Amino acid sequence: MQVARLRRLRQSANLRDWISQTQLRHKDIILPYFVVEGRNVKKEIQSMPGVYHFSIDNLLKDISEAKGIKSVLLFGIPKTKDEIGTQAYRDNGVAQEATRAIKKKFKKLIVITDVCLCGYTSHGHCGIVKGNRIDNDETLNLLAKIALSHARSGADFVAPSAMMDGQVRAIREALDKNGFQDIGILAYSAKYASNFYGPFREALDSAPQSGDRKSYQMDYRNADEALREIKQDIIEGADIVMVKPALAYLDIIYRAKQKFNVPIAAYNVSGEYSMIKKLAGGDKIREKELALETLTSIRRAGADLIISYFGKEVLKCLE
Ligand code: PBG
């Protein structure tokens, strides 16, 4: 029997590059940003070393340093929070002002805004709290209002992440009714109730004050349900769908890519970032290699777009 000499194609870096199947490109990467009010703020998030709260002036500076950047995802962090997240849909709210400033300075940069309530509500839930439940349908009106205010400020895509049923339809209808037919929706469609969101909740100060998010985010034991969520969002008008988190959910990304013909995004979340940071232990080269392997594997699973806190670092390594 003949030996299959698979090592033949691995002999040199040149050969390995030549036959490599999966490429990360600048356009695949979406950089997430946390924006706060005020000026001259650049404050590192303790559980996410290398990730910052930026005021708008410093946000613009950081974006201009990100080599080959094509798109950003914005999270606004308001000064005050209340029961219904009033600060989320103010036309001069922090996410809205940041969007305006970015679109003014970087005309071609694609700006995506996160549409949710958890960063803006005092209770930290992604919807309106009624007694001990989250009211789905009342939340929809608010999400639509938030999305509209983002559209008015110049966002290219809005990204609903509250996991309320019907949120994509409610937002699509509101956008269309107000002349924003061309604003896209990147839906957080299959978003799991994950333990990997811890550092993000510190960044946004958005951990639920009581209970958890298991009545709206998905149960990690389920896979078919993710496909149902995605299908429903496409029917309701999503242009791009997302699987979140990414690493523990590569099977979902793979299945979504096989089944649907819309672009698939994946969110390499805060806990995945912090985990790798810890593993690298401050060794910059190891960290870069770990980040490249991670993002490439998410891409290999089928993601067309990847949101990652390693984005800026990885952009530097791409040709
Ligand atoms: C909720 C939201 C979450 C993330 C982004 N938007 C998760 C949550 O708190 O339930 C997590 C992102 C990350 O961990 O990096 N609207």
Side-chain angles (χ1 to χ4, degrees):
M1 233 243 305
Q2 220 189 1
V3 173
R5 297 219 174 261
L6 296 169
R7 290 183 53 197
R8 198 176 287 133
L9 295 177
R10 294 178 203 143
Q11 289 180 80
S12 66
N14 199 29
L15 265 181
R16 291 190 292 272
D17 281 345
W18 189 50
I19 60 143
S20 64
Q21 250 191 318
T22 310
Q23 262 70 44
L24 266 183
R25 298 154 298 177
H26 290 96
K27 69 167 201 65
D28 303 333
I29 292 170
I30 301 173
L31 288 191
Y33 278 108
F34 300 112
V35 198
V36 296
E37 291 172 33
R39 283 181 59 90
N40 204 21
V41 183
K42 178 178 180 180
K43 189 167 165 254
E44 194 166 43
I45 295 153
Q46 222 180 20
S47 56
M48 301 173 75
V51 180
Y52 301 85
H53 281 172
F54 284 118
S55 52
I56 293 174
D57 49 345
N58 282 335
L59 170 71
L60 297 176
K61 210 187 282 170
D62 200 77
I63 291 175
S64 63
E65 288 164 14
K67 194 174 160 263
I69 186 176
K70 302 281 184 242
S71 57
V72 295
L73 171 64
L74 301 183
F75 293 93
I77 303 176
K79 264 218 185 86
T80 58
K81 308 193 186 212
D82 58 38
E83 284 282 298
I84 59 162
T86 322
Q87 298 299 312
Y89 49 84
R90 261 198 320 138
D91 270 333
N92 54 352
V94 62
Q96 291 82 350
E97 293 289 8
T99 302
R100 250 179 236 114
I102 294 172
K103 290 304 286 187
K104 191 168 162 207
K105 182 154 183 197
F106 309 99
K107 303 235 155 22
K108 276 167 57 184
L109 190 69
I110 296 166
V111 176
I112 308 159
T113 53
D114 186 83
V115 174
C116 197
L117 283 168
C118 60
Y120 296 87
T121 50
S122 43
H123 45 70
H125 276 292
C126 305
I128 299 298
V129 177
K130 282 271 171 74
N132 56 4
R133 45 183 276 282
I134 313 299
D135 192 300
N136 191 85
D137 294 9
E138 268 200 40
T139 303
L140 296 183
N141 300 326
L142 278 182
L143 294 174
K145 252 170 117 163
I146 299 171
L148 259 184
S149 74
H150 291 176
R152 277 195 295 270
S153 68
D156 299 290
F157 280 82
V158 291
S161 69
M163 284 301 276
M164 296 295 127
D165 292 328
Q167 62 181 11
V168 173
R169 191 183 69 172
I171 289 172
R172 188 69 270 161
E173 281 179 2
L175 290 174
D176 290 352
K177 240 196 274 161
N178 288 277
F180 294 112
Q181 292 88 344
D182 294 334
I183 305 301
I185 298 179
L186 191 171
Y188 285 70
S189 303
K191 177 174 178 182
Y192 284 86
S194 170
N195 296 292
F196 286 98
Y197 302 150
F200 173 92
R201 291 181 185 171
E202 185 198 315
L204 233 65
D205 187 21
S206 64
Q209 295 304 299
S210 65
D212 52 43
R213 303 208 206 284
K214 289 180 182 165
S215 76
Y216 42 107
Q217 298 179 348
M218 282 186 55
D219 185 328
Y220 58 71
R221 291 171 292 191
N222 298 342
D224 293 341
E225 190 187 340
L227 301 179
R228 220 177 142 198
E229 286 278 6
I230 291 171
K231 182 174 166 203
Q232 184 58 32
D233 279 359
I234 295 171
I235 292 171
E236 291 182 24
D239 301 283
I240 303 173
V241 296
M242 193 203 292
V243 175
K244 177 182 173 184
L247 283 186
Y249 301 86
L250 293 172
D251 59 323
I252 309 297
I253 297 172
Y254 180 78
R255 287 177 66 179
K257 183 64 185 172
Q258 301 301 308
K259 198 173 165 103
F260 301 106
N261 53 6
V262 298
I264 311 281
Y267 201 139
N268 178 218
V269 302
S270 58
E272 300 174 331
Y273 172 83
S274 302
M275 188 166 72
I276 290 172
K277 273 300 232 212
K278 277 236 165 74
L279 176 60
D283 179 336
K284 277 285 157 202
I285 299 187
R286 262 185 91 193
E287 187 178 306
K288 189 188 85 182
E289 293 295 339
L290 282 163
L292 273 172
E293 179 179 345
T294 301
L295 267 57
T296 305
S297 67
I298 295 169
R299 172 109 188 88
R300 194 188 61 231
D304 300 290
L305 299 164
I306 304 169
I307 299 154
S308 175
Y309 305 100
F310 283 117
K312 201 175 164 194
E313 223 170 313
V314 166
L315 281 173
K316 274 191 217 142
C317 314
L318 305 180
E319 276 160 36

